[in-house]
Amino acid sequence: MDILNRVRQYREEEDSLKWEGTFAEYLEIVRERPEVAQTAHSRVYNMIKSAGLAERDGKKMYHFFGKEIFGLETALERLVEEYFHPAARRLDVRKRILLLMGPVSGGKSTIVTLLKRGLEQYSRTEEGAVYAIKGCPMHEDPLHLIPHNLREEFFKEYGIRIEGSLSPLNTMRLQQEYGGRIEDVMVERIFFSEDKRVGIGTFTPSDPKSQDIADLTGSIDFSTIAEYGSESDPRAYRFDGELNKANRGMMEFQEMLKLDEKFLWHLLSLTQEGNFKAGRFALISADELIVAHTNETEYRTFISNKKNEALHSRIIVMPIPYNLKVSEEERIYEKMIRESDMSHVHIAPHALRAAAIFSVLTRLEIPKKQGIDLVKKMRLYDGESVEGFNSVDVEELKKEYPNEGMNGIDPRYIINRISSAIIRKEVPSINALDVLRSLKDGLDQHASISEEDREKYMNYIAIARREYDEIAKNEVQKAFVYSYEESAKTLMNNYLDNVEAFCNKNKLRDPITGEEMNPDEKLMRSIEEQIGVSENAKRAFREEILIRLSAFARKGKRFDYNSHERLREAIQKKLFADLKDVVKITTSSKTPDESQLKKINEVVARLIDEHGYDSNSANELLRYVGSLLNR
């Protein structure tokens, strides 16, 4: 790619989006495309909606958040449907500050950043286009030029409600520059940009002694007093505070609850009435979404202070808990690693899963429901099937602890420990055991973890290790079984012959002697028991297999090793159980013979080619599983 050509192309694309014209010409755009006059809240909602959505397990999945936020579908659905949607419809919710409350590294800042970056992109699309009075430092809505006594008529003709009054600066400019002729006022298309301070503002608390309210509302430009003669002349005022610049878009208050009270007072009027006080002027109208974020401790301290009651009633709190799904937690780590300088290091399959199991366990509450332990709960939350439980049980579990996920280990800690494992090992790959070992070591160095929690977390690391042990054995099992593929097919065909005879109450003929014999019950049970098919359930399972076999035959398809997932799993486990001694000898022999060496090389190749290991992590896996089988 020629970067200079791409820069030129980008500049041309930006120039093609620009528009400038009179207010009269702007009204024609409004008539054709009323969405250009939508409110800030409506713009944000339509931006999220335009990215599309899907439904999974009855939950709405908003694609807008999909690539960055994982496992928070319920929280995001609530955020969109309980705040942005009603706010877009001009319901009273839009007169509230949106406060995202949750634990550290839970995704609050990421959500706000996505909204800001999204608005920047959306304002460059046709449906998200924004227009403002040209030369206005607050990017004021041109429709504010319509006199108040004509706005009802305007609504009847255009179907658009106008809220807010013309700012002091534009009121003066209308008379002095345009002689009161609103139709001649120049209007331009604007593009939101946090860097250029257009439509997006960010306010961060600093030292209360040095922070000035002017950071929010602008200030007098004393160098112009001599020229304009008065502090009340709007031309002598710099409308450059964050509230001014965020007009038409959104304003982020970082750590809002740490702000001095005088800063928060301005938000009372802005949220309820849509205006704020600045300098010696009448109230200044502003249309902006105010988003803040904080943790639970600070929020509890804030609401316990009686002086904050007025502001508290103007806040809508949206809890943003930690993700509670292991598979989604893995995706968080993968994303964080991709964005880091660690992406060149090979992380063996299931290493991140082992870490995810540990972190999710620390966030779950002990279930009250009979027959469910923490591991079963974790699996159910992740969408896995657990015998005897279904989706209704999952919903009941979630109702037991409505605030579940507000505590536990955060993703940043996990990534820090993975980094530590990489540095300590000084090899191009790390595995699950390296990660779990690093997590364990880190608990001793974590000052904020209590002794009670440390003991509990050590137990969770042990559980994660046991879960990984099963995964590791299954991984090697699959690789070995594939090396014995013909054996697997033969075993399956033998099983199918016996099942067919059993279900049809027929005899089997011995291929060598030709004599008739009963179906081999011992063989069938030895396979079915591998996947937990009970004595009482064996007939139903066999009949299900026979029905599947008949369905394939009717369609002219061949029933093979991959045609029935549970049967394939049972065959693999049975074959692996028979091969266990071979695996033990092959993986633990210090001086393997030629046939053992060949088998090891086949399995290593399979692990690399089809399971995502490198040669180092594949050999480590084999040695580890060999030690497990020899215990």
Side-chain angles (χ1 to χ4, degrees), residues 66-82:
K67 291 180 181 177
E68 298 289 330
I69 305 289
F70 307 111
L72 297 181
E73 296 84 11
T74 302
L76 291 173
E77 182 178 0
R78 185 181 171 197
L79 174 63
V80 175
E81 296 302 324
E82 293 186 21

Side-chain angles (χ1 to χ4, degrees), residues 131-133 136 138-142 144 165-167 170 247-248:
Y131 295 83
I133 296 172
C136 173
M138 284 184 61
H139 330 295
E140 188 165 9
D141 185 347
H144 284 182
S165 302
L166 196 62
S167 66
N170 285 323
N247 187 35
R248 312 296 301 287

Side-chain angles (χ1 to χ4, degrees), residues 563-578:
S563 299
H564 193 285
E565 193 175 327
R566 289 193 73 208
L567 178 57
R568 184 183 67 211
E569 183 189 347
I571 295 288
Q572 283 180 352
K573 286 185 174 179
K574 165 63 177 163
L575 198 56
F576 189 63
D578 295 342

Side-chain angles (χ1 to χ4, degrees), residues 502-555:
F502 172 84
C503 292
N504 294 329
K505 297 180 180 175
N506 292 334
K507 299 268 189 183
L508 285 168
R509 192 172 293 278
D510 189 295
I512 298 170
T513 63
E515 66 178 299
E516 287 190 336
M517 53 186 185
N518 290 322
D520 191 341
E521 183 66 22
K522 189 177 178 183
L523 170 75
M524 289 187 286
R525 290 302 295 140
S526 71
I527 291 170
E528 291 156 358
E529 284 169 352
Q530 301 295 329
I531 52 170
V533 176
S534 66
E535 184 71 26
N536 292 333
K538 70 180 183 183
R539 176 175 289 279
F541 181 75
R542 292 170 189 175
E543 287 173 351
E544 180 198 327
I545 296 290
L546 194 62
I547 291 167
R548 180 76 65 92
L549 202 63
S550 303
F552 269 68
R554 281 199 310 274
K555 294 175 183 175

Side-chain angles (χ1 to χ4, degrees), residues 450-502:
S450 67
E451 196 58 44
E452 183 186 348
D453 281 343
R454 188 175 286 108
E455 192 176 326
K456 187 168 62 173
Y457 291 172
M458 291 292 272
N459 182 43
Y460 293 155
I461 287 175
I463 293 172
R465 168 78 177 266
R466 288 198 295 274
E467 291 292 301
Y468 172 68
D469 287 353
E470 289 306 308
I471 292 169
K473 283 190 280 190
N474 288 335
E475 198 88 316
V476 172
Q477 165 189 309
K478 286 177 189 173
F480 260 90
V481 167
Y482 275 123
S483 299
Y484 289 88
E485 203 158 348
E486 287 306 313
S487 303
K489 289 176 182 175
T490 303
L491 183 59
M492 189 197 73
N493 289 330
N494 197 358
Y495 175 78
L496 292 176
D497 289 342
N498 280 277
V499 162
E500 202 167 0
F502 172 84

Side-chain angles (χ1 to χ4, degrees), residues 173-189:
R173 289 179 64 206
L174 177 61
Q175 297 305 319
Q176 293 188 357
E177 295 177 29
Y178 299 101
R181 292 175 56 81
I182 66 170
E183 61 270 34
D184 294 338
V185 174
M186 294 304 293
V187 174
E188 64 180 347
R189 183 175 177 181

Side-chain angles (χ1 to χ4, degrees), residues 247-308:
N247 187 35
R248 312 296 301 287
M250 70 174 280
M251 168 78 185
E252 177 192 7
F253 270 88
Q254 295 179 348
E255 305 297 343
M256 184 188 82
L257 303 185
K258 290 178 180 173
L259 280 168
D260 188 83
E261 287 176 15
K262 65 181 179 183
F263 287 86
L264 299 177
W265 292 336
H266 282 277
L267 302 183
L268 296 176
S269 174
L270 180 59
T271 51
Q272 194 63 36
E273 308 299 335
N275 52 42
F276 63 92
K277 192 80 172 73
R280 299 178 180 179
F281 309 115
L283 291 168
I284 296 174
S285 297
D287 171 30
E288 56 198 80
L289 160 70
I290 299 176
V291 187
H293 40 93
T294 189
N295 60 51
E296 193 170 6
T297 305
E298 282 183 353
Y299 176 68
R300 299 295 170 210
T301 304
F302 173 76
I303 60 173
S304 65
N305 187 343
K306 294 293 182 184
K307 290 195 291 186
N308 295 326

Side-chain angles (χ1 to χ4, degrees), residues 396-453:
E396 286 179 9
L397 285 170
K398 288 177 179 176
K399 287 174 185 172
E400 285 182 353
Y401 301 98
N403 293 322
E404 193 170 40
M406 297 301 275
N407 296 294
I409 292 290
D410 65 280
R412 285 196 197 115
Y413 171 79
I414 303 293
I415 292 298
N416 290 345
R417 298 315 304 165
I418 291 172
S419 306
S420 177
I422 289 169
I423 292 163
R424 181 169 51 216
K425 201 173 179 190
E426 292 182 343
V427 292
S429 71
I430 61 167
N431 58 35
L433 297 178
D434 297 321
V435 172
L436 290 174
R437 199 177 296 115
S438 184
L439 289 172
K440 181 182 175 184
D441 294 344
L443 292 179
D444 295 327
Q445 304 160 19
H446 206 303
S448 63
I449 295 178
S450 67
E451 196 58 44
E452 183 186 348
D453 281 343

